[in-house]
Amino acid sequence: MAVHVLAVLAYKEGDRVTSALLAASINTNPVIVRRLLLALQRAKLVETGKGAGSGSRLSRSPGRINLAQIYRAVEDCEPFATPSRKPNTACPVGHCIRRTLDKVFASAESALERDLEKTTLAGVITAVQASGNCTRKKGH
Amino acid sequence: MAVHVLAVLAYKEGDRVTSALLAASINTNPVIVRRLLLALQRAKLVETGKGAGSGSRLSRSPGRINLAQIYRAVEDCEPFATPSRKPNTACPVGHCIRRTLDKVFASAESALERDLEKTTLAGVITAVQASGNCTRKKGH
DNA sequence: ATTATATGTAACTGTTGTTGTTACATTATT
DNA sequence: AATAATGTAACAACAACAGTTACATATAAT
């Protein structure tokens, strides 16, 4: 979803786009978009102005934004579930397995991010444009 | 959590362990464990018998089970969120971005799995055993 | 055979996280 | 000053998951 927002922003390169417009594009509520934009601002991927006639725009060119950056900005927690209950400390496995698995999962996640780094926002956009009959200009 | 179950099973190599015992070890309910075991059975990672004095055991040695297999057995859906609402079809980005992102995410997930493949269940166990003062024998 | 034991499964509850919605204070442009 | 936009809070709706209880079924032990 974050990628979608940024892709629309990339379309309007340089122009400031309001959260209302972005929300209409991805068919959701402006507040949802703003919450997303807050995370993207923190990651310095977008710049957002406040007053009338303002809105958001990319803070760099789409070629300089990759999906790993977006992933890190938005997905704050790990993709692996952490059990709600504490493991049984009387069990030798239960006591220490978490620390071990955390290492393994950190490695796996960094492998995932390294793969995402290979795709830039610009790459996504050209792929979208190339993928068939979606050539109509934006209507809004 | 699934890894935890399998690690306990690996400890008792060959022995059949009941879901009640496994549940006590990871501090949860036997039914939760059984639901997990169903998935692991489907993936041919464990064998489960039904009657009295029965239970579950690994279907291969811990060295021949890697975390990617466990991940695939348990995490049936992708780690990437799919938006609930359909994108606005009037927007050229919204219309085609899903197909594009699916490819990218599939690639990222396979990178994740390739990394998980590098760690076997046996590797997890030796790491757990090596990680400090967790040397007490299992109490159950 | 009968009994004891363990799984498979259904139905329900509770919790958590996410999305969506409304409302409003704040801030910048015009 | 008026307008238009964000930031943010509070809450409802919803889905996903963990947990619980209950019970039918199947196997092993006696």
Side-chain angles (χ1 to χ4, degrees):
Chain A
M1 193 152 111
V3 183
H4 192 161
V5 166
L6 289 167
V8 175
L9 286 179
Y11 256 70
K12 316 261 199 171
E13 194 166 345
D15 292 12
R16 317 210 85 145
V17 186
T18 71
S19 61
L21 221 67
L22 290 167
S25 168
I26 71 177
N27 226 21
T28 184
N29 195 288
V31 176
I32 306 290
V33 173
R34 275 179 235 154
R35 292 205 272 241
L36 256 177
L37 288 171
L38 289 177
L40 297 173
Q41 285 163 35
R42 263 179 250 122
K44 307 261 193 257
L45 296 178
V46 304
E47 295 169 353
T48 301
K50 295 198 75 169
S54 188
S56 300
R57 69 181 173 196
L58 298 182
S59 58
R60 335 175 196 160
S61 88
R64 302 212 159 274
I65 295 178
N66 66 56
L67 297 195
Q69 296 168 322
I70 303 174
Y71 175 78
R72 283 185 221 114
V74 173
E75 307 282 334
D76 42 342
C77 59
E78 309 134 30
F80 301 101
T82 43
S84 51
R85 300 212 175 174
K86 301 300 168 199
N88 183 350
T89 54
C91 165
V93 179
H95 197 221
C96 297
I97 197 170
R98 181 125 311 274
R99 168 185 302 267
T100 302
L101 289 181
D102 281 348
K103 275 188 204 161
V104 177
F105 291 161
S107 161
E109 192 170 357
S110 100
L112 184 145
E113 291 185 13
R114 267 195 303 281
D115 189 89
L116 287 177
E117 274 171 16
K118 293 190 288 196
T119 307
T120 67
L121 191 55
V124 170
I125 288 169
T126 59
V128 167
Q129 288 172 332
S131 86
N133 57 352
C134 304
T135 47
R136 238 184 319 181
K137 284 282 159 58
K138 191 155 189 315
H140 306 289
Chain B
M1 194 150 110
V3 183
H4 193 162
V5 167
L6 290 168
V8 176
L9 286 179
Y11 255 69
K12 316 258 196 174
E13 192 166 345
D15 292 12
R16 316 209 87 145
V17 186
T18 70
S19 61
L21 222 67
L22 290 167
S25 168
I26 71 177
N27 225 22
T28 185
N29 195 288
V31 176
I32 307 290
V33 172
R34 274 179 237 154
R35 292 205 272 241
L36 256 177
L37 288 172
L38 287 177
L40 297 172
Q41 287 165 34
R42 263 179 250 121
K44 306 258 192 260
L45 296 178
V46 303
E47 295 169 354
T48 300
K50 296 198 77 170
S54 187
S56 301
R57 68 180 173 198
L58 299 182
S59 58
R60 332 171 199 164
S61 89
R64 302 214 159 275
I65 296 179
N66 66 55
L67 298 194
Q69 296 168 323
I70 302 174
Y71 175 79
R72 283 184 220 112
V74 173
E75 308 282 334
D76 42 341
C77 60
E78 308 137 30
F80 301 100
T82 43
S84 50
R85 300 211 175 175
K86 302 299 169 201
N88 184 351
T89 53
C91 165
V93 179
H95 197 222
C96 298
I97 197 169
R98 181 126 308 275
R99 167 185 304 266
T100 301
L101 289 182
D102 280 350
K103 274 188 205 161
V104 177
F105 290 162
S107 159
E109 194 170 357
S110 100
L112 184 145
E113 291 185 14
R114 265 195 305 280
D115 188 90
L116 287 176
E117 275 171 15
K118 292 190 289 194
T119 307
T120 67
L121 191 55
V124 170
I125 288 169
T126 59
V128 167
Q129 287 172 333
S131 87
N133 57 353
C134 302
T135 48
R136 236 180 325 177
K137 287 280 158 59
K138 192 156 187 316
H140 306 288

